[in-house]
Amino acid sequence: MSKRQSRFEQGDDLVVMKFGGTSVEDDAAIQRLISIVESRVGSQPVIVVSALAKVTDQLRDAGHAAAKGHLGSALATVRNIYVRHEQLADSLVTGAANHALDHELRAEFRALESLLHDVEVSRKLDLKTQDQLLGFGECFSTRLVTEALCQAGMNAAHVDARSCIATDARHGQASPLWDLTDQRLQENLSPLLRAGRVPVLGGFIASTEDGVPTTLGRGGSDFTAAIVGAALAAARVEIWTDVDGVMTTDPKLCSDARVIRKMSFDEAAELAHYGAKVLHPATLAPAMRANIPVYVLNSRRPEGEGTEIVAGANTGKRISAITAKRNVAAVDIEFPRGMDSELLGKVFAVFDQHSCLVDVMGTSLGRISLLVGSTAALAG
């Protein structure tokens, strides 16, 4: 059993900052990332970075193309990914650092091309190989972001998350080996933090105890951030994305959607379960266990308040949020004083008014969750 890191050994203000794909998608996005991290330098930041937007999908497409024998198409996709990173490197990093970064990226891309050659020969892309393939996106982005932060004057340090996040061998959606992961994170990151450096890790990627690459599943960068935050007893975890926070509903479906300023872990987990796309469903578990607040923030509007997710929060509203999933709508309703049959009758009356059939009903202490058979419910 590893010794739990005391928050006071690191400082009360250690903050884990996760930046998603759209928050590192181009030069402007990475410049915003740099400004945001600079604003947190007094708070001992630890950075978790996703692959650049769309890169993970491109890597998957390249893998499938190679498995079908279309190596030329696969390598063309890889070439496009390389050019994109090369252009970003040239715009963000200069001098000797640029040459060193180019050398690192070329080495990673040669390894990627070699893997695709192997896939083309075997005509097979199993989950184990796919984990290795998809992990390249985070390998590229973390090296790029690390050097960009250094260029901006921050003492950033690249850390391979695969040497820190240990998992089982369930490829495609591996589960952490918690004690070993905590131990490795503390051993790798604590010396850097004591030296005043800013660690930069890739989200989503991990490895088995024996070093075989794994992934935490799509959206796993959020999970990585929470894992790191819990291991280091961080004061907070920040999820930087391209929306203003957790919304009352999908703004693409309802123009009146608003940001929920504060909510509980349970509420956020239920919204994620019913289809809200801001958070990965497993993200909150490590933070919840360690009672670490999670903030969902917009990297395009960093001045915004975002959403704070903490234990025991109460929005003060009976209907917290509505999520939509294909042709059903999920409604989460809170009953602060216990089940209110009169209110429940009013809720069903609204559904009747809009000809919406209630397909599923689930209840828990103080809350009822409904699935209705039409997104028309959102218009009500």
Side-chain angles (χ1 to χ4, degrees):
M1 188 80 170
S2 64
K3 178 180 179 293
R4 177 163 176 77
Q5 181 75 34
S6 168
R7 171 172 310 188
F8 299 100
E9 291 177 30
Q10 296 292 354
D12 275 339
D13 51 359
L14 188 146
V15 54
V16 178
M17 310 173 69
K18 176 262 179 175
F19 292 89
T22 56
S23 296
V24 292
E25 64 183 349
D26 54 26
D27 179 274
I30 295 176
Q31 292 290 0
R32 288 193 295 267
L33 177 154
I34 292 169
S35 297
I36 292 167
V37 175
E38 284 177 331
S39 73
R40 301 290 197 275
V41 165
S43 300
Q44 286 193 297
V46 177
I47 313 303
V48 175
V49 181
S50 297
L52 273 58
K54 300 181 180 179
V55 165
T56 301
D57 289 335
Q58 290 175 316
L59 288 169
R60 179 180 281 105
D61 291 345
H64 286 307
K68 293 175 182 177
H70 306 313
L71 184 61
S73 174
L75 295 180
T77 298
V78 168
R79 174 65 183 172
N80 290 335
I81 296 173
Y82 172 72
V83 168
R84 182 179 176 190
H85 286 78
E86 182 184 45
Q87 290 172 343
L88 279 173
D90 288 343
S91 65
L92 294 164
V93 183
T94 61
N98 178 275
H99 292 299
L101 175 59
D102 181 63
H103 179 76
E104 292 172 352
L105 289 175
R106 285 178 182 272
E108 294 280 8
F109 275 96
R110 283 195 296 271
L112 171 55
E113 288 186 343
S114 176
L115 178 61
L116 289 173
H117 277 279
D118 292 342
V119 170
E120 192 266 343
V121 170
S122 69
R123 291 289 201 277
K124 185 175 71 172
L125 182 64
D126 57 23
L127 288 176
K128 180 179 178 181
T129 305
Q130 181 171 276
D131 273 353
Q132 185 179 356
L133 173 67
L134 299 186
F136 277 100
E138 276 69 19
C139 294
F140 304 149
S141 63
T142 49
R143 293 191 181 280
L144 182 62
V145 169
T146 300
E147 291 304 326
L149 288 169
C150 288
Q151 186 79 42
M154 279 172 276
N155 195 8
H158 176 266
V159 178
D160 190 337
R162 294 169 298 188
S163 67
C164 300
I165 310 294
T167 71
D168 59 22
R170 190 159 62 101
H171 292 282
Q173 194 163 3
S175 297
L177 304 176
W178 293 105
D179 288 345
L180 181 57
T181 292
D182 286 352
Q183 177 186 334
R184 288 181 175 180
L185 282 167
Q186 291 165 16
E187 289 175 352
N188 281 278
L189 300 188
S190 293
L192 296 174
L193 293 167
R194 284 195 293 269
R197 305 198 70 181
V198 179
V200 180
L201 302 86
F204 175 62
I205 57 175
S207 69
T208 65
E209 192 171 356
D210 297 329
V212 178
T214 58
T215 63
L216 300 174
R218 293 304 299 266
S221 292
D222 294 348
F223 194 19
T224 300
I227 292 168
V228 173
L232 299 180
R236 55 195 272 152
V237 172
E238 297 178 351
I239 306 295
W240 290 90
T241 181
D242 58 0
V243 294
D244 289 334
V246 180
M247 310 291 287
T248 53
T249 190
D250 187 342
K252 294 177 182 177
L253 297 175
C254 179
S255 60
D256 293 332
R258 298 184 300 277
V259 176
I260 303 171
R261 295 300 178 198
K262 194 168 188 175
M263 64 193 310
S264 70
F265 286 118
D266 288 343
E267 287 174 320
E270 286 190 21
L271 282 176
H273 175 74
Y274 283 114
K277 296 180 180 178
V278 173
L279 294 168
H280 183 270
T283 296
L284 302 178
M288 187 188 305
R289 287 196 294 269
N291 198 25
I292 298 170
V294 175
Y295 294 80
V296 180
L297 301 157
N298 190 346
S299 63
R300 296 172 180 173
R301 287 164 29 94
E303 69 282 359
E305 295 180 24
T307 298
E308 179 185 12
I309 307 173
V310 295
N314 190 331
T315 62
K317 298 179 180 179
R318 286 188 166 180
I319 298 181
S320 303
I322 300 174
T323 63
K325 198 169 185 178
R326 294 195 177 178
N327 293 318
V328 298
V331 183
D332 187 37
I333 305 171
E334 185 177 349
F335 291 84
R337 296 180 181 85
M339 189 63 70
D340 185 330
S341 58
E342 183 179 349
L343 176 60
L344 187 59
K346 292 179 180 179
V347 169
F348 278 94
V350 172
F351 293 140
D352 287 340
Q353 179 185 348
H354 293 278
S355 302
C356 294
L357 232 107
V358 177
D359 293 334
V360 178
M361 183 175 78
T363 60
S364 57
L365 185 62
R367 181 174 290 112
I368 182 170
S369 299
L370 307 171
L371 281 182
V372 296
S374 170
T375 53
L378 294 173

